[in-house]
Each structure stands twice: as structure tokens, then as C-alpha cells.
Amino acid sequence: DTAVSQTPKYLVTQMGNDKSIKCEQNLGHDTMYWYKQDSKKFLKIMFSYNNKELIINETVPNRFSPKSPDKAHLNLHINSLELGDSAVYFCASSQRRFEWGGAKDTQYFGPGTRLTVL
Amino acid sequence: AQTVTQSQPEMSVQEAETVTLSCTYDTSENNYYLFWYKQPPSRQMILVIRQEAYKQQNATENRFSVNFQKAAKSFSLKISDSQLGDTAMYFCAFMNLWSGNQFYFGTGTSLTVIP
């Protein structure tokens, strides 16, 4: 059973198009995230949702819009794709509540979606 | 703002040998977690080990252990008896407990295990 899944794994599209990446977790976690990993492998957080509510929104162009229909899903929609959007996008999830000595804060990552904008 | 620094972009180690990957971080917080994640060529991000800042004892997971020096803000990963499957990018990550579970990642160290 896949804990955090993303679809699609690969996405190749033309500049200017609109695309979506879906993420689902079956871990019962409260919090979900989107990260972007650039060509130099640097991982940077984009968004975080807790129980469908946006709690982290880093400096990301308005063309990126996360949507959380329920706490098990966090989708990423990208409008007017640009060449610089080419990257690997990772979804992750964790339990929001903090407990001393527990592992509930650990983030579990999906397999990533490689987006290539031509 | 928290920063995480991995000063070794690439490293290599002979199979069965031991290697240490370094990580330093900068924070004014006292309560936080530190993690090492592994990213093999398959691209999957896999948790290797985690350390709670309030614990003085270094975390250990089988062949993986850390050397956590809180005063020096250092968090190195030691891999013993290196195996070919350890070849991957390794990312150090910092999480401040009171900032929405936000992770800050280092730039990664590419480790190659040589047969």
C-alpha cells in the first residue's frame, strides 16, 4: 500500500498550458505539503495545508494554486506554465500535532512528479 | 530564518567502509527536530534517521547513526559498512517545532559507494 501517492509521475507539456498534479495520502495525517526540487536538487517548500487550511505559503507565483478537497488530498494546479517551472514536485504529509518522543512530525514523501515544460 | 548547510556536494566510499556526511544548521530555537533523508536514483525521498534536539543521546538506525552536537549546531550522518544500495543523494533537514512543521533542507550530498 502506497502511503503518499502522486499522479502523474511524469508530465511533459508546452509553455502556456495549465496542468494539475494530484496527491493523496492514506496515513491519516493532518498536514500535507508541496515541495519543488530544482535541477540542482535543492528542495524548497511551496505550500502546506493542515486540515484543508493553508498554513504555509512561500513566495510562489500566483500561477500555482493548491487545492485541498479533504485532508487526504492536496492537488497542485499550475496555470500558464513557464520553462522555469520544470522541476520535480514532491508531495509530503505529516501529523500536525506535536508529541514528545513521537514520530508524528516526520514527513513522508510521495514519489515525485517530474514536470518538463517545453 | 533557519538555514541548513551541507558543505560536501559529492562524496565516495568503498563498499564496506564507513563514511560521514556533515550538516550544520543555524537557528535561534531550542526545540526542533533534525532529519536525514535519502534520495536514490528512483527519486523517492526516504527517511533515514531523525533526532530530537532535547535528546542528548545520538540516534541510531542499524548502520546509520548521527553525531548531534547541539552547541555547535552540527548534525553529521555516519554510514557504517557501506553498501551499494546506499548510493544516493542525502539531504539534511531541520524542523522548528512551532512553525507549522516546516522543513528546511540542505543542498544535499551525493554519495557514491564504490564496489
Side-chain angles (χ1 to χ4, degrees), chain A residues 33 37 105 107 109 112, chain B residues 33 37 39 43-44 50 101:
Chain A
Y33 312 80
Q37 186 176 39
D105 51 295
Q107 292 189 13
F109 285 78
Chain B
Y33 283 178
Y37 279 85
Q39 187 179 38
R43 208 173 63 213
Q44 180 76 48
R50 66 194 290 277
N101 283 29

Side-chain angles (χ1 to χ4, degrees), chain A residues 4-5 7 9 15 19-20 24 27 29 32 34 52 60 63 70 76 84 87 90-91 98 101 108 110 113 115:
Chain A
V4 183
S5 59
T7 54
K9 284 193 73 174
M15 273 177 57
K19 291 293 179 185
S20 293
E24 176 181 3
L27 297 167
H29 286 165
M32 296 183 72
W34 276 109
K52 304 193 297 175
V60 175
R63 300 181 295 103
D70 55 61
L76 184 65
F90 284 96
C91 177
F98 168 64
Y108 296 89
T113 296
L115 171 64

Side-chain angles (χ1 to χ4, degrees), chain A residues 9-10 33 35 37 41-43 45 56 58 90 94-95 98 100-102 105-107 109-112, chain B residues 31 33 35 37 39 42-45 47 50 52 54 89 91 95 97-103 105-107:
Chain A
K9 284 193 73 174
Y10 299 93
Y33 312 80
Y35 287 86
Q37 186 176 39
K41 302 290 188 181
F42 185 64
L43 269 158
I45 192 165
I56 294 175
E58 292 296 302
F90 284 96
S94 71
Q95 192 69 290
F98 168 64
W100 286 110
D105 51 295
T106 299
Q107 292 189 13
F109 285 78
Chain B
N31 295 316
Y33 283 178
F35 303 83
Y37 279 85
Q39 187 179 38
S42 67
R43 208 173 63 213
Q44 180 76 48
M45 290 287 285
L47 177 69
R50 66 194 290 277
E52 295 91 333
Y54 69 90
M89 282 287 288
F91 291 94
M95 188 193 82
L97 294 177
W98 313 113
S99 67
N101 283 29
Q102 184 166 352
F103 270 35
F105 283 91
T107 49

Side-chain angles (χ1 to χ4, degrees), chain B residues 51-92:
Chain B
Q51 174 81 43
E52 295 91 333
Y54 69 90
K55 287 187 177 177
Q56 292 186 337
Q57 186 174 6
N58 289 326
T60 300
E61 286 288 343
N62 301 315
R63 298 183 296 107
F64 298 88
S65 61
V66 299
N67 183 4
F68 173 48
Q69 301 288 330
K70 191 172 182 180
K73 296 179 183 174
S74 169
F75 182 61
S76 60
L77 175 69
K78 185 170 86 170
I79 306 174
S80 304
D81 185 25
S82 297
Q83 301 175 359
L84 296 179
D86 295 334
T87 293
M89 282 287 288
Y90 286 81
F91 291 94
C92 180

Side-chain angles (χ1 to χ4, degrees), chain A residues 42-43, chain B residues 1-11 20-27 34-36 67 72-77 89-95 103-110:
Chain A
F42 185 64
L43 269 158
Chain B
Q2 278 72 220
T3 58
V4 180
T5 302
Q6 292 179 248
S7 58
Q8 305 150 314
E10 296 180 355
M11 294 189 72
T20 299
L21 281 57
S22 65
C23 172
T24 58
Y25 57 94
D26 185 25
T27 183
L34 295 160
F35 303 83
W36 278 98
N67 183 4
K73 296 179 183 174
S74 169
F75 182 61
S76 60
L77 175 69
M89 282 287 288
Y90 286 81
F91 291 94
C92 180
F94 169 97
M95 188 193 82
F103 270 35
Y104 297 88
F105 283 91
T107 49
T109 295
S110 177

